[in-house]
Amino acid sequence: MSCGRQIEYRFSAYHGAKAKNMINKIELATNQIFSTLAEHIQMIGKGFYGEVFLATIPTPPYKVALKLFAERKYAELQRLEQSHIASLSVVPMPKILGEYFDDEADIFALAMEYVEGKNLGYTDVSTLRRRDDLAEEIVDMVVRLHAVQRKTFGYLGGRQYDTWQGFYKDLCHQMHANIKEYSNKGLLSKDRLALLDFSLAHFDEIFAEEVNAGSLIHGDLNNENIIISTDEHIAGLIDPMGVMYGDREIELFQLECSNGGDMQLLERYFSRVKPSKNFEIKNAFYKSWAETNHYSRIEKPQDDNLDNFLQSLENYTKILR
């Protein structure tokens, strides 16, 4: 189907028949969504849920980001979450331009606005001319996002709860089932599972302070999901995952991930928004449970990175023993 068009991959992720199959999927999706074939295809991202390609087409909008998902459910979830945030116009979230799902051909594709720029998470922030101004711009964006609120709590499109504690405790029990199975496979040490068990047993104490309203949560709010322009402004916030209305502090640990700590994003955030009484131990709980659950889902063995998250939880839970 390429007919002499240029097909380029930034990563050598596919070769031979596998590469040809991927190209055919991209071209079929592009043709179904835009009624034209791509003139240029370049892989620009790869993750657990799928791959992202920059497709250049001969008709407007000329450049699109085409994401191919591993499973239909992941595509449908991102469609729901990204469309919701984009519709609110409070952050620069790219709009979804179209979709193509074909269960028989195993194609689950979303076409999105392509955001020109570079990934902040992979940028040496010491080289940025506007580092401090950009950091304030990021914090402004996060504050605007969290200012979108509801009276109820829960995942977008899921059951809604009257209290944050009710929703999050149920979620923790769901995560615990996954994590226990993960540990039983020998991928997480028993002492680390015991640490999570202990923290869950003290849930009501850790989360005693009421959360008055559910804030809009991006779910993966780190610098690797921020695209910046050549003049060092935010060009786009991408890839929401696990969008919910909940405690705004559930995703604040992400501000210290990647190179966010170098930009002092968390400190800047709390210069605008007052932290909760138990923020330090809540933050350790949130990041330890989120990261361990992620590891369990992809069956990645416990490593130094996960240990660092869990060590922070152990440090703070000492006061409960």
Side-chain angles (χ1 to χ4, degrees):
M1 291 179 67
S2 62
C3 301
R5 292 185 304 281
Q6 182 182 8
I7 308 299
E8 178 190 344
Y9 289 90
R10 180 173 295 178
F11 307 143
S12 56
Y14 301 101
H15 303 278
K18 193 172 183 180
K20 184 177 179 180
N21 180 54
M22 182 61 68
I23 292 169
N24 286 341
K25 285 185 176 182
I26 296 165
E27 294 203 321
L28 181 58
T30 305
N31 191 34
Q32 290 292 325
I33 297 170
F34 298 104
S35 300
T36 187
L37 295 175
E39 296 178 330
H40 178 95
I41 300 169
Q42 179 181 351
M43 181 183 271
I44 56 175
K46 180 177 173 64
F48 175 70
Y49 298 103
E51 294 88 8
V52 185
F53 299 84
L54 168 60
T56 303
I57 58 177
T59 56
Y62 302 113
K63 289 183 177 182
V64 297
L66 189 73
K67 188 167 184 177
L68 295 183
F69 292 82
E71 297 183 37
R72 185 186 187 107
K73 63 181 180 181
Y74 299 139
E76 292 177 337
L77 182 60
Q78 181 154 347
R79 177 185 62 190
L80 172 69
E81 295 179 340
Q82 190 162 327
S83 296
H84 179 73
I85 296 178
S87 71
L88 299 171
S89 301
V90 293
V91 296
M93 177 74 63
K95 293 181 174 62
I96 293 176
L97 304 174
E99 64 184 59
Y100 178 62
F101 296 164
D102 186 331
D103 293 292
E104 290 187 7
D106 198 31
I107 301 173
F108 313 108
L110 294 180
M112 300 168 250
E113 293 176 320
Y114 174 65
V115 181
E116 295 274 4
K118 63 180 179 179
N119 191 300
L120 177 58
Y122 303 130
T123 300
D124 180 356
V125 297
S126 68
T127 66
L128 296 175
R129 302 180 306 278
R130 298 187 66 255
R131 182 176 65 176
D132 289 343
D133 290 340
L134 178 61
E136 293 296 336
E137 198 174 319
I138 292 169
V139 171
D140 282 342
M141 176 180 69
V142 177
V143 170
R144 289 197 309 273
L145 184 75
H146 291 170
V148 179
Q149 296 183 331
R150 289 180 176 175
K151 292 182 178 180
T152 56
F153 305 85
Y155 280 119
L156 192 66
R159 175 188 169 188
Q160 299 300 297
Y161 290 69
D162 292 332
T163 68
W164 169 247
Q165 289 86 344
F167 165 71
Y168 189 59
K169 181 181 276 190
D170 277 3
L171 177 58
C172 286
H173 283 292
Q174 293 169 27
M175 290 191 289
H176 186 269
N178 297 332
I179 293 168
K180 186 175 181 180
E181 182 179 350
Y182 170 65
S183 179
N184 288 340
K185 292 178 180 178
L187 299 174
L188 178 71
S189 65
K190 296 301 181 183
D191 65 313
R192 289 315 196 189
L193 178 61
L195 170 65
L196 294 169
D197 288 344
F198 178 83
S199 67
L200 185 55
H202 288 267
F203 182 96
D204 292 342
E205 186 176 349
I206 295 170
F207 295 96
E209 188 174 356
E210 184 179 355
V211 178
N212 294 320
S215 294
L216 179 59
I217 303 300
H218 175 278
D220 201 13
L221 192 63
N222 64 74
N223 282 0
E224 292 181 18
N225 285 325
I226 296 175
I227 306 300
I228 60 171
S229 60
T230 54
D231 59 354
E232 299 180 0
H233 289 276
I234 299 172
L237 175 64
I238 62 174
D239 283 351
M241 184 175 66
V243 172
M244 65 171 71
Y245 282 85
D247 181 5
R248 62 191 175 202
E249 293 182 348
I250 193 173
E251 65 179 356
L252 294 187
F253 73 89
Q254 299 268 7
L255 298 182
E256 297 185 292
C257 294
S258 186
N259 47 19
D262 296 331
M263 300 179 76
Q264 300 174 317
L265 295 180
L266 185 60
E267 294 86 348
R268 295 174 191 271
Y269 182 89
F270 282 137
S271 72
R272 319 276 189 89
V273 180
K274 183 181 178 181
S276 64
K277 179 181 177 181
N278 285 347
F279 171 73
E280 296 294 345
I281 191 169
K282 284 172 59 183
N283 189 49
F285 189 108
Y286 283 143
K287 65 185 179 182
S288 296
W289 278 81
E291 194 71 2
T292 308
N293 187 57
H294 174 65
Y295 271 58
S296 73
R297 292 179 67 186
I298 64 176
E299 296 193 339
K300 181 178 180 179
Q302 178 181 345
D303 58 13
D304 290 344
N305 177 64
L306 181 57
D307 275 335
N308 289 336
F309 280 92
L310 291 167
Q311 186 60 50
S312 69
L313 180 61
E314 183 171 18
N315 293 340
Y316 283 107
T317 54
K318 287 178 181 177
I319 64 175
L320 300 174
R321 295 185 185 272

